[in-house]
Amino acid sequence: MGYCTILSVINEHTTSTVIGRYAVSLALSCKARLVLYAAHTGGTSESVLNHTDRHLDHLVAVAEELEIPVTRIHEVGAITRLLPDRVQAEKANLVFYPLTPDERYGDHLQRHTVHQLLRTIAPDLAIMRIISMAKPHPRHILVPLGKVVGVMERRLLFISELANSFHAQVTLFHLSSGRVAQQMPDEITRFRDQLQQQQITVQERNGSGQISRAIAVEAITRHHDLIILGSSERGALQKLFFGNPAGDLMHQPPCNTILFRAARKRP
């Protein structure tokens, strides 16, 4: 099942317009409805509100020029309280959320807005850290994968739709635990085959070593402009003792990076 309604969170930071452009491109490719959403608490400064409104104005104009059905929403209140209800009301099945400069995914105390949204947003969630404003349209996407590819169907949908919307090449990067690169696991081969069936150019690469460092080196040396990570399946205690590679990369990525968390199963 493809995306029918895509919601993108916009704020006062200029970087949020990049994630908005991703949402616009994906909505155009999927023929989906687009919701551009902002929320601020009462007493927010006029400057912050004006910056947010200018970003919304720009993105609405871009969407309307492309004849994308677009809805603009600006609410007053805490985004952690308002956004889950808005997502449900708009029947969005993909949500883009931009990390603010002072927000860190993977914080041991799990106290940032992003952690609350991970617990309360039901559909597919794409959390993005913007490093470069210069490449809003990725051409080389790096997808690190382990031996087992969790929620393969949802990840395939997101990656394939994004790659098709930007006419981008995808590199599947498998990291092995030993020093010598191992044969590509069967699940990654299946992942590759299904991407290729959708006319996406796919390359495969093997690597080894410390996970976050190896991914960063691969992205830099091969000139990737977007990394798509899967959200960590480690619990808080495991992250404390064994680390959180996704959190490390999201904090200081070598290029624009998306953390993708598949839709939660409804009870």
Side-chain angles (χ1 to χ4, degrees), residues 7-22:
L7 184 148
S8 184
V9 174
I10 307 300
N11 55 39
E12 71 274 17
H13 301 286
T14 306
T15 52
S16 73
T17 61
V18 175
I19 199 169
R21 293 300 290 258
Y22 274 53

Side-chain angles (χ1 to χ4, degrees), residues 4-176:
C4 298
T5 300
I6 297 170
L7 184 148
S8 184
V9 174
I10 307 300
N11 55 39
E12 71 274 17
H13 301 286
T14 306
T15 52
S16 73
T17 61
V18 175
I19 199 169
R21 293 300 290 258
Y22 274 53
V24 166
S25 182
L26 205 52
L28 180 64
S29 176
C30 298
K31 296 180 172 55
R33 173 173 166 257
L34 177 65
V35 178
L36 298 171
Y37 179 84
H40 288 103
T41 55
T44 299
S45 72
E46 199 68 27
S47 173
V48 167
L49 295 175
N50 288 338
H51 276 92
T52 303
D53 281 338
R54 281 201 294 272
H55 298 157
L56 288 169
D57 289 343
H58 167 70
L59 291 166
V60 167
V62 171
E64 288 179 341
E65 185 176 347
L66 295 170
E67 299 183 346
I68 297 170
V70 58
T71 302
R72 169 182 177 154
I73 300 171
H74 200 158
E75 295 187 302
V76 177
I79 192 170
T80 51
R81 177 177 59 83
L82 295 172
L83 183 57
D85 291 339
R86 179 55 58 185
V87 167
Q88 185 174 359
E90 300 298 325
K91 298 180 179 178
N93 42 20
L94 173 63
V95 176
F96 278 101
Y97 176 76
L99 284 174
T100 58
D102 59 347
E103 194 170 13
R104 177 167 183 174
Y105 164 75
D107 178 80
H108 291 318
L109 298 179
Q110 306 285 291
R111 59 189 175 186
H112 293 281
T113 297
V114 62
H115 299 120
Q116 296 184 55
L117 296 180
L118 278 163
R119 292 190 290 268
T120 56
I121 299 296
D124 288 354
L125 178 60
I127 299 161
M128 191 166 185
R129 174 78 75 189
I130 307 297
I131 295 300
S132 172
M133 297 285 291
K135 292 184 176 181
H137 305 294
R139 292 291 182 263
H140 299 279
I141 300 174
L142 181 64
V143 181
L145 295 172
K147 186 175 181 180
V148 177
V149 182
V151 291
M152 182 182 287
E153 182 181 348
R154 302 308 302 175
R155 291 175 77 174
L156 269 170
L157 171 64
F158 179 73
I159 292 167
S160 60
E161 292 287 10
L162 199 64
N164 277 323
S165 69
F166 287 116
H167 306 289
Q169 171 184 294
V170 172
T171 297
L172 303 180
F173 184 53
H174 170 59
L175 277 165
S176 59

